[in-house]
Amino acid sequence: MKKIKVDALVVGAGFAGLYMLLRLRDKGLTIQVLEAGGDVGGTWYWNRYPGARCDVASVEYCYSFSKELQEEFKWPERYSAQPDILKYIEHTTEKFELRKNILFNTKVTDAIYQEDTQLWHVKTNTGQCYETRYFIMATGCLSVPKMPKFKGIDSFEGEFYHTGKWPHHKVTFDGKQVAVIGIGSSGVQVIPEIAKTAKHLTVLQRGPTYCIPGKNYPLDDTYLQDIYRRYDDIRHKAKTGSRGVGLTDVKGTGKSIKEFSREEAFKMMAEIIEHGKGTLGSLFTDVKSDPEADQIVREFLYEMIDRIVEDSQTANLLKPDYPLLSKRYSLGFEYLETYNRDNVTLADVLTDPIKEITPKGVKTEHKEYTFDMIVCATGFDGMTGAISRVHIVGKNSERLKDKWASGPRAYLGLMSHGYPNMFTITGPGSPSILANAVMSIEQHVEWIDNCIEYLDRNEIKAFEPKLDEEDKWVQHVTDIVKPFFISKGNSWYLGANIPGKPRVFMPYPGGLGTYTEICNEIAKNGYQTFLQKRSYVYE
Ligand code: NAP
């Protein structure tokens, strides 16, 4: 079959793929972007369920590379909804004329490295074949929905949806008996929306989740003009700070929660929530790791649940029994309040587990429910899901799947030893989703772009991390996360939500600013931690 030759092949047309395309195209490289979806947007193309929004402030959850773009798109809300985020991505695509380099409805199936030519051969599900020097996975951290494997799932006769693959047609809940399975960030967002119009909503909860009430509000021109004036400073703070945000990163107390009286600590936490500024995790130094400190925060949150949720049995069911910061908690908008509605029931499927899906609904050990619709908000095969679904073969015919069988091994989350010239944007071992994802993406794209410029300038044909440097990085990620609850949580950060997936903490927990400094230093020193091959020998 005839191969289409390009300089770089990028997989994915979300925030990451689009910016990568723009940077490389501006260098004069020939680029092909391949996208499985029918249009641009990535996560924001697929996750179009009612209530979907980003809980990072919109004025920060957007590109910073163009001042003009930054100031011409009017974000309507503090936490704008999915249709507005998608509109922003489409607007960016049109503005920079990116669409012509993207092939939609096309999945990459195979990517095989050719050691003789130092090129990647890439195949798609539509039968196309490409030959490329640079193979770049911009497939996102949460792009493979996790469908629960209940017995009888295909027999259900009603409507069946996953939040992460929501249909394009209008879905109505009016007059319907609806079930939601899953109460992570997606469930917390979709539940209040369904409850508004469903005849009855039953939330099938396995483990409860921490949900902090969020403060959303419309943004007016005065607010936006003020942001535009301060943007340079906000972005600087975002890029040098740990979480990729410059606006809401309020200074913590720098003290243990135990240095305050219970009343003082509760008051400070209530204020943080009331004003929607900052996070409970950054208010005190020890909430991330000290069980006693965590217990104080938990008691505060339990009191909050008791205050909001009228039925005490439901309130008790909504109280998680694990440390707050052992998992990602959600920002909720009328989530807890939804359980006060007459048409909403919380069912505990931890003590009464789901046995099977029947043609008419759900059977648990002790009950049988009838539903017109089941909505799964059951999460994703995070970080490695999309990468491991491509048959990637590197040097010595090694499959990436085999190399990563006991957990992903990558250097800086950017490259993996044995896979020259293959880059991953927000890959495992990078801050990615532990920071504002758009800032993580910009940092990666710019680093890759500069790296490619260096490779081309120096006529380096093959470039990959040294194995010992990769090993050290993987160990470093494991070591720095160890003291914190997050290293042991039952979360997708560790692959704990996917049966059989190795439990390895995947994102880099040291903060975006620190990570950026490390990456920049490596580049400044001539990429000495990488093997660099000009002709047939590594230097
Ligand atoms: P998630 O956090 O992994 O939550 C999945 C939920 O499904 C959990 O409640 C889980 O219960 C439940 N579940 C999974 N399998 C089940 C089964 N077989 N039976 C019963 N319950 C089952 O997934 P998510 O809510 O989609 O969120 C994933 C990530 O997406 C978030 O952490 C976040 O990074 C991102 N996200 C962000 C936003 C935002 O506002 N920025 C919004 C949505 C999503 P257990 O806890 O018992 O396992």
Side-chain angles (χ1 to χ4, degrees):
M1 180 180 296
K2 195 170 173 304
K3 290 193 186 73
I4 303 163
K5 292 181 193 240
V6 289
D7 295 320
L9 191 131
V10 178
V11 191
F15 269 110
L18 292 172
Y19 186 36
M20 192 76 252
L21 163 61
L22 176 62
R23 290 288 295 227
L24 295 180
R25 192 195 61 188
D26 284 356
K27 272 198 157 52
L29 266 62
T30 53
I31 322 286
Q32 181 64 62
V33 177
L34 300 176
E35 164 58 54
D39 209 334
V40 294
T43 285
W44 301 104
Y45 172 85
W46 297 106
N47 286 266
R48 49 182 72 219
Y49 58 86
R53 60 180 73 246
C54 182
D55 59 12
V56 177
S58 296
V59 294
E60 303 216 61
Y61 190 79
C62 55
Y63 294 120
S64 72
F65 67 81
S66 159
K67 190 170 158 56
E68 197 179 283
L69 173 66
Q70 208 171 236
E71 297 188 7
E72 75 190 2
F73 191 86
K74 307 279 176 238
W75 289 107
E77 291 177 272
R78 181 187 194 191
Y79 300 119
S80 297
Q82 175 271 339
D84 293 309
I85 302 174
L86 191 57
K87 217 183 283 170
Y88 167 80
I89 297 174
E90 287 164 355
H91 169 80
T92 307
T93 306
E94 305 313 331
K95 181 179 174 73
F96 296 101
E97 297 175 17
L98 300 174
R99 213 173 275 280
K100 56 180 183 273
N101 292 82
I102 310 169
L103 203 54
F104 295 105
N105 301 305
T106 306
K107 263 190 177 181
V108 169
T109 53
D110 302 71
I112 320 280
Y113 184 65
Q114 312 294 311
E115 290 189 56
D116 50 349
T117 57
Q118 291 139 340
L119 298 172
W120 283 89
H121 283 187
V122 178
K123 280 196 215 155
T124 71
N125 64 338
T126 51
Q128 274 114 335
C129 261
Y130 293 88
E131 194 174 66
T132 180
R133 176 157 310 285
Y134 302 113
F135 176 56
I136 304 169
M137 292 291 275
T139 40
C141 296
L142 295 159
S143 44
V144 177
K146 178 212 162 191
M147 201 56 92
K149 291 195 168 38
F150 296 119
K151 183 179 159 204
I153 200 161
D154 294 329
S155 69
F156 183 60
E157 290 167 356
E159 296 167 74
F160 191 94
Y161 304 111
H162 191 292
T163 46
K165 214 172 179 187
W166 199 258
H168 283 237
H169 63 77
K170 188 165 167 49
V171 176
T172 58
F173 311 105
D174 313 36
K176 293 177 187 164
Q177 305 270 3
V178 183
V180 171
I181 304 175
I183 42 99
S185 303
S186 306
V188 159
Q189 290 184 338
V190 81
I191 285 166
E193 293 304 312
I194 296 177
K196 281 179 192 162
T197 52
K199 183 171 178 201
H200 197 90
L201 167 64
T202 306
V203 177
L204 300 166
Q205 172 186 280
R206 193 168 62 182
T209 190
Y210 287 104
C211 178
I212 312 283
K215 286 273 158 201
N216 198 16
Y217 41 77
L219 303 182
D220 60 19
D221 211 47
T222 313
Y223 178 93
L224 289 173
Q225 291 304 329
D226 176 52
I227 296 290
Y228 300 157
R229 263 192 305 277
R230 297 192 291 126
Y231 242 143
D232 285 350
D233 180 48
I234 293 167
R235 295 300 202 174
H236 176 73
K237 280 190 186 132
K239 291 175 188 184
T240 53
S242 68
R243 295 189 305 116
V245 288
L247 203 53
T248 53
D249 234 354
V250 291
K251 234 178 164 348
T253 59
K255 291 181 180 171
S256 156
I257 192 169
K258 290 181 269 181
E259 289 186 46
F260 299 89
S261 71
R262 186 182 158 91
E263 289 67 34
E264 281 171 331
F266 276 32
K267 188 162 171 262
M268 286 157 98
M269 289 189 275
E271 275 169 9
I272 281 263
I273 293 177
E274 175 56 27
H275 300 297
K277 290 204 164 119
T279 62
L280 295 186
S282 49
L283 194 52
F284 306 106
T285 52
D286 46 0
V287 174
K288 291 180 183 149
S289 54
D290 177 0
E292 285 177 16
D294 170 68
Q295 188 58 32
I296 301 170
V297 180
R298 267 205 246 180
E299 282 164 17
F300 166 77
L301 292 172
Y302 291 170
E303 266 193 32
M304 183 190 75
I305 295 170
D306 284 332
R307 229 181 7 260
I308 297 175
V309 180
E310 289 158 9
D311 175 62
S312 60
Q313 209 180 333
T314 306
N316 285 338
L317 265 183
L318 288 166
K319 294 173 188 167
D321 63 356
Y322 52 83
L324 169 71
L325 296 175
S326 62
K327 273 188 180 189
R328 184 194 199 276
Y329 64 74
S330 310
L331 267 199
F333 303 98
E334 298 292 304
Y335 171 70
L336 292 170
E337 290 80 354
T338 296
Y339 292 101
N340 294 334
R341 297 179 68 110
D342 291 338
N343 68 333
V344 177
T345 309
L346 181 64
D348 176 11
V349 295
L350 188 65
T351 53
D352 182 16
I354 297 173
K355 281 283 148 205
E356 64 178 297
I357 307 284
T358 66
K360 298 292 173 210
V362 173
K363 210 180 201 174
T364 62
E365 213 156 86
H366 302 296
K367 283 192 187 139
E368 195 154 353
Y369 298 89
T370 302
F371 296 121
D372 302 304
M373 182 193 293
I374 297 175
V375 173
C376 285
T378 42
F380 300 87
D381 183 355
M383 296 220 73
T384 54
I387 301 172
S388 63
R389 273 161 182 77
V390 178
H391 179 64
I392 298 174
V393 180
K395 283 186 343 193
N396 306 317
S397 305
E398 182 189 46
R399 296 190 316 171
L400 189 66
K401 215 174 164 176
D402 295 333
K403 178 177 174 186
W404 286 12
S406 309
R409 304 197 69 79
Y411 181 49
L412 305 168
L414 275 161
M415 298 191 91
S416 191
H417 173 81
Y419 300 81
N421 303 351
M422 172 182 150
F423 296 91
T424 46
I425 301 178
T426 62
S430 75
S432 55
I433 37 67
L434 291 184
N436 168 4
V438 183
M439 289 299 99
S440 298
I441 285 167
E442 280 196 345
Q443 186 273 341
H444 261 193
V445 167
E446 287 162 17
W447 192 92
I448 293 170
D449 180 44
N450 292 335
C451 177
I452 287 178
E453 190 172 307
Y454 166 86
L455 300 181
D456 286 351
R457 195 174 56 243
N458 291 286
E459 295 179 6
I460 292 163
K461 299 281 183 280
F463 182 81
E464 60 176 308
K466 291 178 178 168
L467 184 58
D468 59 334
E469 296 292 343
E470 178 172 292
D471 290 344
K472 273 194 266 175
W473 184 257
V474 173
Q475 192 56 48
H476 175 60
V477 173
T478 308
D479 290 344
I480 51 177
V481 78
K482 216 178 225 161
F484 302 109
F485 294 129
I486 202 171
S487 67
K488 299 167 203 85
N490 187 27
S491 77
W492 66 266
Y493 291 154
L494 286 115
N497 62 331
I498 303 293
K501 191 165 172 170
R503 293 216 180 182
V504 175
F505 192 83
M506 292 181 279
Y508 171 76
L512 181 63
T514 306
Y515 173 84
T516 303
E517 275 177 30
I518 295 170
C519 291
N520 290 349
E521 199 58 24
I522 289 166
K524 204 173 102 195
N525 292 332
Y527 304 92
Q528 288 173 23
T529 47
F530 288 83
L531 298 169
Q532 308 183 31
K533 192 176 178 183
R534 277 207 175 73
S535 53
Y536 296 102
V537 280
Y538 275 109
E539 292 169 9

